[in-house]
Amino acid sequence: MDQTTPLLLVPGLASSARIYAPVIPALWRFGPVMVANHIRDDSMAAIARRVLSEAPPRFALAGHSMGGYIALEITRQAPERVLRLALINTQARPDTPEATQRRRVLMERAKRGELRAAREEMFPELVHPSRRDDSDIRRLMHEQGDDVGVEGYLRQQAAIIARVDARPTLSAIKCPTLVMTGDADNTIPNAFSKEMAESIAGARLVILERCGHLPQPEQPEATARALAEWLAS
């Protein structure tokens, strides 16, 4: 990657710049690194437009989970500006009715002041079984939730619920693409990552071992190595 090419990182649902902290030092040497703010709008199209309005003219783009949905929308809106694409523990599929219903329940709980409790209940499914007692990752999850706030969380969930099926547009992606997932991701099964990698010409699929839905803090060295190789290729 050219030394002047910026890298734009997009966090996931109820996630902030903190999620990328374990890997940024290894990526910074390739060029400027910035993290998108994705909590101000309630649709994928609007989030992508705002991120693009604040982004450099051309950049490498990496999105984690919900950030992957945003990255795909950014790539659809402005493909000429995205030099490289990394899709991390995400999918191109829209919400199922069951997933939407779960989100609406969580949104109601958030309105009642129960977001932290709901996130605590979800934590064991977010990470690899070996990380379920990891107090550092649990604290990170809650700190990020505080960063996003209830109103930001509600806007994010609304955007996720209404997102479109991105599978028909995957074949239009022409830039070097990395698809990364964990071998034990219970939130977004890695079968969906395989599906994306097979649909994007030349995409590289990386499945991290002993990793759930949060590869940056769960497997920071392996995650940084895969991203560095993607930037250097």
Side-chain angles (χ1 to χ4, degrees):
M1 183 168 120
D2 187 288
Q3 290 295 314
T4 61
T5 302
L7 170 61
L8 178 60
L9 304 171
V10 191
L13 172 67
S15 181
S16 68
R18 297 176 194 265
I19 193 66
Y20 286 106
V23 300
I24 284 178
L27 307 179
W28 176 80
R29 62 191 173 92
F30 291 96
V33 179
M34 60 187 298
V35 181
N37 182 319
H38 64 330
I39 68 173
R40 296 166 291 176
D41 301 284
D42 62 2
S43 75
M44 289 296 163
I47 294 170
R49 283 195 298 271
R50 193 192 293 261
V51 171
L52 281 165
S53 73
E54 298 171 346
R58 303 184 77 195
F59 49 89
L61 176 65
H64 172 236
S65 195
M66 176 194 180
Y69 311 154
I70 298 167
L72 287 170
E73 176 63 19
I74 288 172
T75 303
R76 188 191 69 77
Q77 289 188 18
E80 73 285 355
R81 294 178 61 182
V82 180
L83 300 176
R84 296 175 183 274
L85 177 65
L87 301 168
I88 306 169
N89 292 73
T90 190
Q91 62 179 324
R93 295 179 175 227
D95 248 16
T96 63
E98 295 78 13
T100 293
Q101 179 56 30
R102 288 194 296 272
R103 294 188 195 283
R104 295 198 187 282
V105 170
L106 288 168
M107 292 169 77
E108 289 304 314
R109 292 190 67 182
K111 292 175 185 177
R112 296 196 301 267
E114 300 175 10
L115 180 56
R116 185 181 182 89
R119 297 282 288 167
E120 181 68 27
E121 293 166 14
M122 296 167 60
F123 180 74
E125 296 303 312
L126 281 175
V127 296
H128 187 272
S130 65
R131 296 284 192 170
R132 287 175 180 169
D133 295 323
D134 191 316
S135 60
D136 289 336
I137 298 180
R138 178 180 275 104
R139 182 171 60 253
L140 170 66
M141 177 189 69
H142 288 308
E143 288 174 345
Q144 292 188 109
D146 292 341
D147 291 340
V148 171
V150 171
E151 293 304 317
Y153 176 80
L154 295 175
R155 286 190 288 269
Q156 288 183 331
Q157 286 285 33
I160 293 173
I161 288 171
R163 75 186 189 278
V164 301
D165 188 343
R167 287 174 293 178
T169 61
L170 293 177
S171 62
I173 297 173
K174 304 303 180 185
C175 62
T177 300
L178 168 67
V179 180
M180 188 189 308
T181 183
D183 63 353
D185 189 339
N186 292 315
T187 302
I188 301 179
N190 58 45
F192 297 155
S193 292
K194 295 174 183 177
E195 177 181 67
M196 290 190 299
E198 291 170 357
S199 300
I200 301 172
R204 180 188 176 210
L205 175 66
V206 173
I207 301 177
L208 302 179
E209 296 182 356
R210 296 178 61 79
C211 186
H213 190 62
L214 307 177
Q216 302 94 324
E218 290 188 69
Q219 295 292 345
E221 292 182 3
T223 301
R225 182 165 57 250
L227 290 169
E229 290 174 356
W230 161 70
L231 290 172
S233 63

